[in-house]
Amino acid sequence: FARPRATRAIELVLARPIKKPELFLHRYLGGLSALAISAAAASAALGLTSSLLLGLATGPSACGVIYGSLLASLAGFYSTLYLVATLTRRHFLWAAALIYAALYLMGPGLLLVASSGTWWALYLSPFTASFGALEAYLGAMPYVLLSRVSAADLAAAAATWAAAPAITSALIYLRIDEA
């Protein structure tokens, strides 16, 4: 804080406080930008690893699809955790760990339920979009059931997983702070 105080920049920041909706939006977008960087690194690493170790030909278009679907899945998971953080201010880490475990462990169960003909069960997890893209474009994942689900439905499910919790948490956050 020494440099901002010496240049009087801190007074400018304190004189123009940020509003609650702006704070919420900037925190959310900051988290999404960190996810975008992480998804880019993971997609590049997956493309390089699958080319070198498995001999799969993954071009830029496959890595782009993997990046988009991974980012969509992570955004849905991040939005869900953002909603949990809004609802549970004190016990966030425990709730987040339980939700992650439930969603992660639920994946094989959803595939079993879907194999019996209940296709909508595949949309009960934000990770379905990345599983679908990996299966469709790489052909390396054993999720044959996901190839029967349309890409438009996967995209709609991923968008819903990203948008619905974020909008709900924004409404709750703004309502809590008004009270």
Side-chain angles (χ1 to χ4, degrees):
F1 288 119
R3 183 159 168 81
R5 279 196 188 153
T7 60
R8 296 189 179 259
I10 195 81
E11 284 83 10
L12 177 65
V13 171
L14 292 174
R16 297 172 23 139
I18 190 168
K19 296 176 184 168
K20 299 288 182 185
E22 292 173 350
L23 177 65
F24 180 84
L25 182 66
H26 288 118
R27 289 170 97 186
Y28 183 76
L29 292 178
L32 282 182
S33 61
L35 287 177
I37 293 168
S38 298
S43 299
L46 181 64
L48 184 64
T49 304
S50 63
S51 294
L52 293 176
L53 296 179
L54 301 175
L56 295 173
T58 55
S61 63
C63 287
V65 169
I66 292 169
Y67 171 74
S69 63
L70 184 60
L71 183 61
S73 293
L74 290 174
F77 184 65
Y78 177 71
S79 295
T80 303
L81 291 185
Y82 211 81
L83 176 61
V84 170
T86 303
L87 293 173
T88 61
R89 294 182 186 246
R90 290 185 185 163
H91 305 289
F92 169 69
L93 288 178
W94 288 105
L98 288 174
I99 287 176
Y100 175 75
L103 289 174
Y104 186 74
L105 295 174
M106 192 168 55
L110 292 178
L111 291 173
L112 289 174
V113 169
S115 66
S116 68
T118 311
W119 298 107
W120 58 266
L122 291 173
Y123 304 118
L124 295 177
S125 172
F127 301 121
T128 305
S130 59
F131 289 155
L134 287 173
E135 206 281 328
Y137 285 91
L138 289 180
M141 300 296 284
Y143 299 109
V144 178
L145 295 171
L146 292 174
S147 63
R148 297 180 187 168
V149 178
S150 72
D153 289 345
L154 284 176
T160 302
W161 270 103
I167 292 169
T168 305
S169 60
L171 293 174
I172 292 170
Y173 180 77
L174 295 175
R175 177 166 261 179
I176 287 173
D177 288 336
E178 286 177 0

